[in-house]
Amino acid sequence: MERRYMPVVIFLAAITVGIIIMVVISVVQNKPLYQKYKYGIVLDAGSSHTSVFIYEWPAEKENNTGMVQQKHTCNVKGKGISSYSANPQGAGASLQECMNEAKQKIPAHRHPETPVYLGATAGMRLLRMENEEASKKVLDSVALSLKSYPFSYQGARIISGQEEGAFGWITVNYLSENLRKPTGTLGALDLGGASTQITFVPQQKIESSDNSIDFRLYGNNYHLYTHSFLCYGKDQALKLSMGKKLESTLKTDPIELRDPCFHPGYKVPRTVPDVFNTPCTKELKLANENFLHVGLGNWSQCQQSIRKVFNTSICSYSKCSFNGVFQPSVYGDFGAFSAFFFVMDFLNLTSDSLATTKEKLAAYCSTPWEKIVGNHPKIDQKYLSEYCFSATYILTLLEDGYKFTSNNWKDIRFIKKIGDSDAGWTLGYMLNLTNMIPAEAPDMPLMPYGGYVTFMFFFALLILVLLLLVYLYFRRSTRTAQKDII
Ligand SMILES: Nc1ccn([C@@H]2O[C@H](COP(=O)(O)OP(=O)(O)OP(=O)(O)O)[C@@H](O)[C@H]2O)c(=O)n1
Ligand SMILES: [Ca+2]
């Protein structure tokens, strides 16, 4: 080879090596780190029970919507932590089994950086009202227990009703990937054992500051209406309703509470303090401590009796739901989860019109208790006996309380999960505390990863081909020049 071509060859070789290096570096640099997951743990200390949620997300995508998923849940055995008021140590000890499970589920090298949060809801709000000292002891006990694990303990506290409503709304909208899109958002309806929450973006002005929450998420402003009704979860509402019926029952001895919300043939002895053992019901001085709870199975009478727990005669705003609480007209689609789902799903009432739902429920309530038990031999009779009441309560709360009508009934979606994750306040709570939902939308990459690699590869190839063409052209033209000289 002639000496004068040497610089061209070296030049081309250097460029080729350079391009190869460029492609290799960009591929390695941008390779998604699939194996790098991060984790977070949230304990939902509800009035009826505690659940431990483990969430996971790819480390490099934590600010993208929809990336956090529920990896595992564990239901703590026994009742909620507020039931340990007489034995606070028991509350902390009750968490051990599920927390040990969390240690197994999360890779050990991630333990020290995995945050653990405990949020307690309406059961603990009621205990705090009844006995503040006892509620502190229970919280201290669960805190001590959680600190004994290798995770990063971030606190155990009673969350407010507004937080419970707002974080439930964030959860359902994050999981439905509504937050970065111009489409509407999903309202959130949560029914617990001791409280219930309603949260949505209203079309009207929010007239009471207690019911308004503002968020800036991914560059959009959200102005939310939210309210939490303490004592209107389904277990406390049953006590409210039974308490009202007991008050109006003649003080006969023995007292017989004839209850249209329980099946015909249902007959169970109860005690008066069993109904009045909560700050939600006022203590009644009844001669007899015992009464017989007798089912009548009459749906319309049941609804009449439940209406009495909603006070719709007072309202100092332009409109109210009940008990003098401001509420704008419900607007848009709603996700109704927790006990809204458990009850309606059990009764197969999640997809009918309001009129059909009422008809089916009336038939269910009038079914003899014996037959109900025969149809569901494996279900705990305490829970089984309450479905007629619970579903009637749900219909009354949604229709008479929140003012849903037969026209917008179809806008309520009874849901348990979205994807693999449960609807509830816990995910929204963790996303907020770990700053995983930024106020401004993060910069989007120019193109997706696959497209980027393909582009880089073909672009490099193009440069190579061009250089080759230049070289060939250069060689040809110098040869022609040499020929011309000869
Ligand atoms: N599979 C299930 C789970 C729960 N329940 C009942 O549904 C109600 C609400 O349960 P949950 O949403 O877990 O309430 P908590 O979170 O415990 O209560 P709160 O939110 O009021 O603190 C309780 O009466 C519970 O017994 C049910 O019927 N079926
Ligand atoms: Ca709850």
Side-chain angles (χ1 to χ4, degrees):
M1 191 194 293
E2 275 190 51
R3 279 187 73 122
R4 61 198 184 98
Y5 291 135
M6 277 305 278
V8 177
V9 172
I10 291 171
F11 177 67
L12 282 178
I15 285 186
T16 312
V17 170
I19 288 171
I20 290 170
I21 289 173
M22 187 176 81
V23 171
V24 167
I25 287 180
S26 65
V27 168
V28 172
Q29 183 76 20
N30 291 284
K31 186 170 143 270
L33 307 168
Y34 289 114
Q35 68 282 24
K36 280 209 169 173
Y37 276 93
K38 284 189 175 180
Y39 302 86
I41 304 171
V42 186
L43 287 93
D44 174 356
S47 63
S48 65
H49 81 296
T50 301
S51 291
V52 178
F53 293 90
I54 300 177
Y55 296 105
E56 78 173 3
W57 59 94
E60 81 282 9
K61 287 187 179 166
E62 59 186 13
N63 286 341
N64 289 12
T65 183
M67 290 318 290
V68 180
Q69 298 282 327
Q70 187 173 307
K71 180 186 164 69
H72 183 72
T73 61
C74 177
N75 290 322
V76 169
K77 287 204 185 104
K79 292 185 178 177
I81 59 169
S82 55
S83 69
Y84 290 91
S85 59
N87 161 33
Q89 286 91 333
S94 73
L95 309 179
Q96 282 169 8
E97 225 175 285
C98 280
M99 289 307 290
N100 284 329
E101 212 174 281
K103 265 174 34 182
Q104 304 295 316
K105 296 281 173 190
I106 298 173
H109 72 281
R110 291 287 183 195
H111 287 177
E113 65 183 62
T114 299
V116 181
Y117 305 91
L118 181 142
T121 51
M124 286 296 284
R125 282 180 213 134
L126 290 174
L127 179 60
R128 184 171 56 188
M129 283 165 64
E130 227 178 355
N131 182 346
E132 196 171 347
E133 193 59 30
S135 75
K136 277 189 181 141
K137 283 187 178 153
V138 168
L139 281 179
D140 287 347
S141 159
V142 293
L144 194 68
S145 168
L146 294 178
K147 282 177 194 165
S148 71
Y149 291 88
F151 307 114
S152 167
Y153 172 74
Q154 299 290 315
R157 53 182 282 266
I158 301 173
I159 65 167
S160 70
Q162 283 99 322
E163 289 177 284
E164 197 178 357
F167 293 132
W169 182 90
I170 289 192
T171 300
V172 294
N173 286 287
Y174 174 89
L175 292 173
S176 333
E177 302 199 19
N178 288 335
L179 295 180
R180 292 182 72 174
K181 293 179 190 154
T183 52
T185 54
L186 197 59
L189 298 167
D190 182 357
L191 178 62
S195 78
T196 187
Q197 288 72 241
I198 175 166
T199 311
F200 62 100
V201 175
Q203 280 209 307
Q204 289 143 296
K205 187 176 174 294
I206 300 176
E207 295 170 24
S208 68
S209 56
D210 291 355
N211 297 121
S212 138
I213 290 199
D214 293 293
F215 285 114
R216 186 169 172 81
L217 310 170
Y218 298 117
N220 297 315
N221 291 317
Y222 297 98
H223 186 53
L224 298 186
Y225 167 82
T226 186
H227 190 80
S228 173
F229 289 93
L230 189 59
C231 299
Y232 286 80
K234 82 174 185 60
D235 303 332
Q236 292 299 323
L238 177 60
K239 292 190 185 217
L240 282 179
S241 172
M242 281 178 68
K244 285 236 186 288
K245 285 171 204 157
L246 275 176
E247 277 172 348
S248 59
T249 303
L250 289 172
K251 294 183 181 178
T252 51
D253 194 11
I255 308 170
E256 203 177 74
L257 178 66
R258 296 164 62 76
D259 195 334
C261 300
F262 285 71
H263 297 277
Y266 176 85
K267 206 171 270 186
V268 170
R270 295 188 189 279
T271 69
V272 174
D274 194 29
V275 177
F276 292 97
N277 60 356
T278 139
C280 295
T281 49
K282 280 186 224 91
E283 182 79 53
L284 241 197
K285 294 277 171 284
L286 286 178
N288 198 318
E289 289 280 288
N290 302 303
F291 68 92
L292 198 59
H293 194 197
V294 178
L296 299 177
N298 184 318
W299 179 75
S300 59
Q301 279 178 24
C302 172
Q303 186 161 45
Q304 285 304 324
S305 72
I306 289 175
R307 285 198 176 115
K308 295 193 177 118
V309 304
F310 301 108
N311 182 346
T312 47
S313 62
I314 44 157
C315 183
S316 58
Y317 303 97
S318 64
K319 49 176 63 170
C320 287
S321 45
F322 55 96
N323 296 0
V325 173
F326 168 72
Q327 189 202 290
S329 304
V330 287
Y331 177 76
D333 289 347
F334 283 78
F337 45 89
S338 45
F340 281 118
F341 176 82
F342 304 142
V343 172
M344 300 304 266
D345 179 62
F346 176 82
L347 297 173
N348 252 322
L349 296 175
T350 55
S351 49
D352 291 306
S353 69
L354 182 55
T356 311
T357 305
K358 285 178 182 174
E359 275 167 32
K360 286 189 179 174
L361 184 56
Y364 176 78
C365 287
S366 63
T367 307
W369 176 233
E370 212 180 320
K371 195 170 171 205
I372 298 282
V373 174
N375 290 346
H376 304 280
K378 285 188 184 147
I379 297 183
D380 184 332
Q381 294 201 1
K382 177 192 160 2
Y383 296 113
L384 193 59
S385 68
E386 292 177 5
Y387 281 111
C388 166
F389 168 84
S390 300
T392 311
Y393 175 67
I394 286 173
L395 291 195
T396 316
L397 173 66
L398 294 174
E399 199 180 8
D400 298 30
Y402 297 156
K403 320 286 188 258
F404 280 95
T405 63
S406 49
N407 291 330
N408 58 15
W409 185 255
K410 63 178 184 321
D411 297 344
I412 306 172
R413 294 183 222 159
F414 294 94
I415 51 170
K416 178 173 165 60
K417 285 173 181 259
I418 299 176
D420 291 336
S421 309
D422 281 84
W425 59 266
T426 50
L427 175 56
Y429 189 66
M430 185 189 75
L431 293 173
N432 181 59
L433 289 175
T434 50
N435 289 320
M436 263 195 279
I437 303 187
E440 303 304 330
D443 291 335
M444 292 288 281
L446 196 60
M447 57 182 89
Y449 172 74
Y452 168 77
V453 171
T454 316
F455 174 82
M456 288 293 280
F457 177 75
F458 282 107
F459 191 68
L461 207 67
L462 186 73
I463 292 176
L464 203 68
V465 171
L466 278 176
L467 282 169
L468 252 166
L469 285 176
V470 167
Y471 166 70
L472 290 175
Y473 175 78
F474 176 73
R475 224 172 65 154
R476 235 186 78 192
S477 58
T478 46
R479 276 204 187 138
T480 326
Q482 278 171 354
K483 262 188 203 150
D484 288 349
I485 293 165
I486 294 163

